[in-house]
Amino acid sequence: GFCMLTNPRDPSFEKKCTDLMLACGALVTEFRRYKTALLPGCIPHDGLMQNNPPRLDLQIKQLFNGDKNHTVRVFKVFLLNSLEDLVNDKHLPIQVGLSSKETESMDSCYKIWLTSLRHSS
């Protein structure tokens, strides 16, 4: 839903994605793993391995520490990859009961995000 409701070029994108992460702790974990795999050493290792990880807001702050514009771009690519997985899953519409119009909307959303990321710096 986030990708369908959010313009990838929205000037307040960073705020919207941190709000999304605050609402969905599992997303923070997934994005930490993605960013760490993509850019080893970009996040302190101790926060990944603890039994009691830091509070969610501190984890998000760690994610956006440093070059925020780069992190926002990495997050957009992360979202695009996730959306691509959904669009390419031909069983998903049947499994979750999407109409053909909803499936087309999801595909259109993916194409808009893809085009936007290809044309951004």
Side-chain angles (χ1 to χ4, degrees):
F2 179 81
C3 291
M4 295 183 87
L5 296 172
T6 307
N7 180 335
R9 294 182 183 208
D10 186 329
S12 60
F13 187 87
E14 180 186 342
K15 168 83 170 101
K16 289 181 178 185
C17 67
T18 56
D19 289 347
L20 175 65
M21 287 183 193
L22 282 169
C24 184
L27 181 63
V28 174
T29 301
E30 286 298 312
F31 184 56
R32 281 180 70 98
R33 288 179 182 151
Y34 179 86
K35 187 175 179 189
T36 301
L38 189 63
L39 305 163
C42 68
I43 299 172
H45 185 67
D46 60 342
L48 293 173
M49 302 307 287
Q50 292 176 348
N51 287 336
N52 297 317
R55 290 187 342 237
L56 198 55
D57 59 328
L58 296 177
Q59 290 183 56
I60 294 168
K61 187 176 178 180
Q62 273 185 337
L63 284 169
F64 286 89
N65 193 22
D67 186 350
K68 290 184 182 185
N69 290 333
H70 185 270
T71 299
V72 167
R73 175 145 176 83
V74 170
F75 188 69
K76 287 177 181 180
V77 172
F78 168 76
L79 290 175
L80 182 66
N81 289 339
S82 300
L83 186 57
E84 180 181 32
D85 289 344
L86 293 173
V87 167
N88 288 334
D89 183 349
K90 299 306 175 197
H91 300 289
L92 182 70
I94 295 165
Q95 290 172 338
V96 298
L98 294 178
S99 70
S100 60
K101 200 158 196 75
E102 290 168 324
T103 303
E104 289 172 18
S105 293
M106 203 164 66
D107 188 53
S108 294
C109 177
Y110 169 75
K111 290 174 183 171
I112 289 168
W113 271 71
L114 180 62
T115 300
S116 176
L117 269 108
R118 281 185 178 162
H119 292 34
S120 66
S121 53

